[in-house]
C-alpha cells in the first residue's frame, strides 16, 4: 500500500516539477452568452469555451430543454437498446443525418465513446489503423484499443499516409482516422487528399468534426461538407454536440450498413445509458437555431479573422487557422503558463495548453471565440495582448 501511495505521490510531484500539473477553476456564475464568468469572486472574460455559436444558453434551446424534462423526466432510464431510446432521440438522429447529408446517424453519449466505437467496430486484430500524429486523444485511444496494427503518420502529410497504406499487408483492412479541425491548432485537415488516398488504397476514412460541425459549411454541416465530400469519400463522420451545438453528446453518420454495425456491435453504444431525452430535444432546438440564425457562424468567424489581422499588427505569429480556434505557440510550459496567468490577472481567461495535449516545446495560449463575444470584447483582449507583448511576456512566440 505504501509503495502504491509513494508511486502515486511521485507521479504528482513529477507533473508539478515539469509544469504539467493541471488545476480546475470553479465557475461561480455565468452571464447570458457564457463568455462573462465569475471565478474566485472576480469577473473574467472567457476565450476558452467551445460554445462557438453561443447556443448553450439560447432561450429557445433552454426552453425546449425544460419542456422536454417536464415531459420525459431528467434521465433516459436505460440504454438505447433496452428502453432508453425515445421519440426525441429517434427524431434527432434523423435530423442529424439530414443535416450532414448522410443516410443514417447514431447518437452516442460522448464523442470519446463514439470514436472508441468506430475503432472497435471497423478494424480489429490483423487489420491496420492509420492516424494523424496530432489527432485528438480519443481518436488515438480508439486506434490503440481497436487491437489493429496502429501507425501514426506525420501531421497532415498525405504522402506519408499513402506510403504506409501501400506498405500494408495485402488484404489487410484499413481505417484512416483524422481530426477534421485539429483541436489544438484550429487548422483543417487536407480532407480531399485524405479521401483520395484512402479511396485509392481501399481504406475506410473517418473524420472527427468535433470543432467544424455547426461552424463550417452551409448550415453548419461541417468541414467535410465545406470540402464538398459526401458519404462515398468520407464514409464515417463523427461530430460532437457539446461544442458549437451547445448541448451534449455526439453522433456518427454514414451508410446504413456502417451505422447498423455500430448499433449491433459497439460496446460503448450498447452498454451505456442513453442521453437524457431533454438533451436530445434541446439539441433539436439548437439545430433549428443554427439554421435560422446564420449570423452566428458569420460572427464567430469574423471575430477570428479580425483577431488574426490585429494580432499580426502586434507581431504575434498565430497558427494559420481559419476557424474559431486561434493558438499562439510560446514554447515552454513556463512561458505559456506565465502568459495565461498574466492575462487572467488582467481579466481574461485564456488557457495554457501544455504537453501531453500538444508536443513538447509547443505549449501555447489557445484562444477560442464565440458568437456571444462582442467586438469590444475582442478589442479588450487585443489591448491586453499588446501590453503583455510590451512586457516581454510573449517574447517566445513562434511562427507556424
Ligand atoms: C477533436 C475531438 N474529438 C472528440 C472529442 C470528445 O468529445 P466529447 O467531449 O463529446 O467526449 C473532443 C473534445 O472533447 C475533440 O476535441
Amino acid at each position: 500500500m505504501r509503495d502504491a501511495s509513494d508511486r502515486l505521490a511521485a507521479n504528482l510531484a513529477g507533473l508539478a516539477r515539469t509544469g504539467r500539473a493541471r488545476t480546475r477553476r470553479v465557475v461561480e456564475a455565468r452571464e447570458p452568452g457564457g463568455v462573462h464568468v465569475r471565478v474566485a469572486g472576480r469577473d473574467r472574460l472567457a476565450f476558452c469555451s467551445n460554445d462557438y455559436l453561443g447556443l448553450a444558453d439560447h432561450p429557445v434551446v433552454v426552453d425546449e430543454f425544460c419542456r422536454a424534462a417536464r415531459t420525459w423526466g431528467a434521465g433516459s432510464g436505460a440504454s438505447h437498446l433496452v428502453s432508453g431510446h425515445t421519440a426525441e432521440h429517434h427524431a434527432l438522429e434523423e435530423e442529424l443525418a439530414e443535416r450532414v447529408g448522410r443516410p443514417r446517424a447514431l447518437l452516442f453519449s460522448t464523442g470519446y465513446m463514439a470514436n472508441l466505437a468506430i475503432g472497435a467496430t471497423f478494424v480489429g486484430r490483423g487489420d491496420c489503423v492509420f492516424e494523424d500524429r496530432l489527432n485528438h486523444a480519443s481518436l488515438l485511444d480508439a486506434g490503440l484499443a481497436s487491437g489493429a496494427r496502429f501507425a501514426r503518420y506525420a501531421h497532415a502529410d498525405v504522402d506519408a499516409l499513402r506510403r504506409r497504406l501501400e506498405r500494408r499487408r495485402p488484404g489487410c483492412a484499413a481505417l484512416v482516422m483524422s481530426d477534421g479541425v485539429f483541436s489544438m491548432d484550429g487548422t483543417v485537415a487536407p480532407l480531399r487528399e485524405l479521401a483520395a488516398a484512402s479511396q485509392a488504397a481501399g481504406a475506410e476514412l473517418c473524420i472527427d468534426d468535433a470543432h467544424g460541425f455547426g461552424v463550417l459549411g452551409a448550415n453548419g454541416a461541417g468541414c467535410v461538407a465545406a470540402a464538398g465530400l459526401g458519404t462515398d469519400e468520407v464514409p464515417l463522420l463523427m461530430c460532437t454536440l457539446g461544442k458549437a451545438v451547445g448541448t451534449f453528446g455526439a453522433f456518427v453518420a454514414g451508410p446504413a450498413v456502417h451505422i447498423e454495425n455500430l448499433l449491433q456491435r459497439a460496446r460503448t453504444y450498447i452498454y451505456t445509458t442513453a442521453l437524457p431525452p431533454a438533451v436530445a430535444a434541446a439539441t433539436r432546438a439548437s439545430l433549428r437555431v443554427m439554421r435560422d440564425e446564420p449570423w452566428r457562424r458569420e460572427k464567430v468567424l469574423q471575430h477570428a479573422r479580425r483577431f488574426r489581422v490585429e494580432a499580426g499588427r502586434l507581431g504575434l505569429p498565430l497558427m494559420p487557422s481559419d476557424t474559431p480556434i486561434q493558438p499562439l505557440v510560446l514554447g515552454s510550459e513556463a512561458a505559456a503558463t506565465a502568459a495565461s496567468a498574466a492575462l487572467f490577472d488582467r481579466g481574461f481567461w485564456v488557457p495554457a495548453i501544455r504537453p501531453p495535449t500538444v508536443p513538447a516545446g509547443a505549449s501555447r495560449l489557445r484562444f477560442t471565440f464565440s458568437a456571444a463575444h462582442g467586438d469590444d470584447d475582442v478589442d479588450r483582449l487585443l489591448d491586453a495582448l499588446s501590453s503583455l507583448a510590451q512586457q516581454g511576456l510573449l517574447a517566445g512566440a513562434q511562427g507556424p
Side-chain angles (χ1 to χ4, degrees), residues 50 52 108-115 134-139 178-184 208-211 238-243 248-251 325 366:
N50 299 320
Y52 301 121
F108 281 82
S109 295
T110 69
Y112 209 119
M113 292 162 78
N115 281 337
L134 295 191
N135 272 355
H136 187 261
S138 58
L139 285 172
S178 175
D179 278 25
V181 175
F182 286 92
S183 55
M184 295 301 131
D208 172 337
D209 201 17
H211 295 275
M238 198 292 291
C239 302
T240 59
L241 303 171
K243 303 188 195 306
F248 188 77
F251 67 98
I325 302 170
R366 178 176 180 267

Side-chain angles (χ1 to χ4, degrees), residues 6-189:
D6 289 350
R7 203 160 18 86
L8 293 172
N11 289 344
L12 297 179
L15 289 174
R17 201 174 44 250
T18 52
R20 294 183 184 182
R22 300 173 193 241
T23 52
R24 298 179 299 178
R25 288 193 171 119
V26 179
V27 179
E28 291 151 5
R30 259 203 288 241
E31 282 182 20
V35 294
H36 294 275
V37 298
R38 170 135 343 120
V39 179
R42 296 152 80 194
D43 293 333
R44 292 287 171 267
L45 179 53
F47 287 92
C48 49
S49 158
N50 299 320
D51 180 17
Y52 301 121
L53 302 179
L55 292 180
D57 69 352
H58 191 290
V60 170
V61 176
V62 174
D63 281 355
E64 191 53 14
F65 185 78
C66 295
R67 182 206 59 78
R70 278 191 295 274
T71 306
W72 295 97
S76 64
S79 62
H80 283 275
L81 293 183
V82 178
S83 57
H85 187 69
T86 67
E88 293 289 358
H89 298 102
H90 205 71
L92 174 59
E93 287 184 345
E94 289 175 355
E95 288 161 13
L96 289 167
E98 193 194 344
R99 183 63 59 98
V100 295
R102 279 167 167 70
R104 242 187 113 177
L106 192 70
L107 278 174
F108 281 82
S109 295
T110 69
Y112 209 119
M113 292 162 78
N115 281 337
L116 291 179
I118 291 170
T121 303
F122 299 106
V123 279
R125 217 172 286 286
D127 301 330
C128 301
V129 59
F130 300 98
E131 300 213 19
D132 189 292
R133 187 164 287 284
L134 295 191
N135 272 355
H136 187 261
S138 58
L139 285 172
L140 297 173
D141 288 356
L144 288 165
S146 70
R149 279 177 71 108
F150 174 78
R152 286 191 278 189
Y153 56 89
H155 176 50
D157 185 342
V158 182
D159 284 336
L161 169 65
R162 251 186 229 109
R163 285 193 296 275
R164 286 185 177 276
L165 282 166
E166 278 161 15
R167 280 207 308 263
R168 77 187 197 273
R169 218 172 14 84
C172 166
L175 174 67
V176 176
M177 302 182 98
S178 175
D179 278 25
V181 175
F182 286 92
S183 55
M184 295 301 131
D185 292 18
T187 50
V188 178

